[in-house]
């Protein structure tokens, strides 16, 4: 059993503002938002990153991730951005797969 911070949130061992939960995924508010609406969407089980070999062979999980994304962003009429940071150059800081869902303001492109 992993004790990474997002596993602890998934097991409700530390609090988070949870927005959506299904069998395999959880969405909650980022503790340090960089947009008016900043949601983190994670698999409940410990998948270490977007490069984890389990991911392409987990159809239930990937379906639930995209279904949750669509539900969460259905009302983001002005648009939104989905970000997965991977590695040092991208600023990845938590070794548990997470999608950032950002909305509520204009988002610069390219992101810098
Ligand atoms: P990364 O930099 O790895 O792509 O993103 C990690 C994100 O997790 C950051 O945006 C950070 O604010 C968020 N985060 C880190 N620890 C916690 C926590 O304990 N609770 C919540 N809700 N978000 C966290
Ligand atoms: Zn974890």
């Amino acid at each position: 059993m992993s004790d990474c911070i997002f596993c602890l949130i998934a097991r409700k061992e530390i609090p988070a503002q949870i927005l959506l939960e299904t069998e395999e995924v959880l969405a909650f508010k980022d503790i340090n938002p960089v947009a008016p609406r900043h949601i983190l969407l994670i698999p409940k089980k410990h998948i270490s990153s977007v490069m984890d070999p389990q991911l392409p062979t987990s159809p239930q999980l990937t379906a639930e991730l995209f279904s949750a994304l669509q539900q969460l962003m259905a009302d983001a009429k002005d648009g939104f951005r989905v970000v997965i940071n991977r590695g040092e150059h991208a600023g990845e800081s938590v070794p548990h797969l997470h999608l950032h869902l950002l909305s509520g303001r204009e988002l610069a492109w390219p992101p810098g």
Side-chain angles (χ1 to χ4, degrees):
M1 200 184 280
S2 172
D3 60 358
C4 93
I5 192 95
F6 289 171
C7 282
L8 295 177
I9 288 174
R11 294 203 301 269
K12 319 276 170 61
E13 289 174 22
I14 63 169
Q17 288 183 270
I18 293 172
L19 301 171
L20 181 151
E21 180 169 12
T22 68
E23 195 179 326
E24 298 218 23
V25 308
L26 188 72
F28 53 95
K29 292 187 182 178
D30 195 293
I31 203 167
N32 185 23
V34 300
R37 195 161 157 83
H38 185 167
I39 299 169
L40 296 174
L41 177 58
I42 67 167
K44 290 204 245 182
K45 77 169 173 181
H46 186 81
I47 300 263
S48 61
S49 84
V50 72
M51 298 305 282
D52 193 308
Q54 289 177 74
L55 208 44
T57 56
S58 303
Q60 172 81 18
L61 171 60
T62 49
E64 287 191 26
L65 281 171
F66 280 95
S67 173
L69 184 159
Q70 291 186 357
Q71 287 175 57
L72 288 160
M73 303 321 280
D75 63 351
K77 300 296 182 207
D78 295 327
F80 61 91
R81 182 166 294 156
V82 181
V83 173
I84 299 175
N85 291 318
R86 170 60 180 159
E88 198 181 327
H89 280 187
E92 182 186 11
S93 62
V94 179
H96 180 131
L97 174 65
H98 51 285
L99 285 67
H100 296 260
L101 311 182
L102 304 168
S103 63
R105 67 166 169 83
E106 223 170 286
L107 299 157
W109 190 261

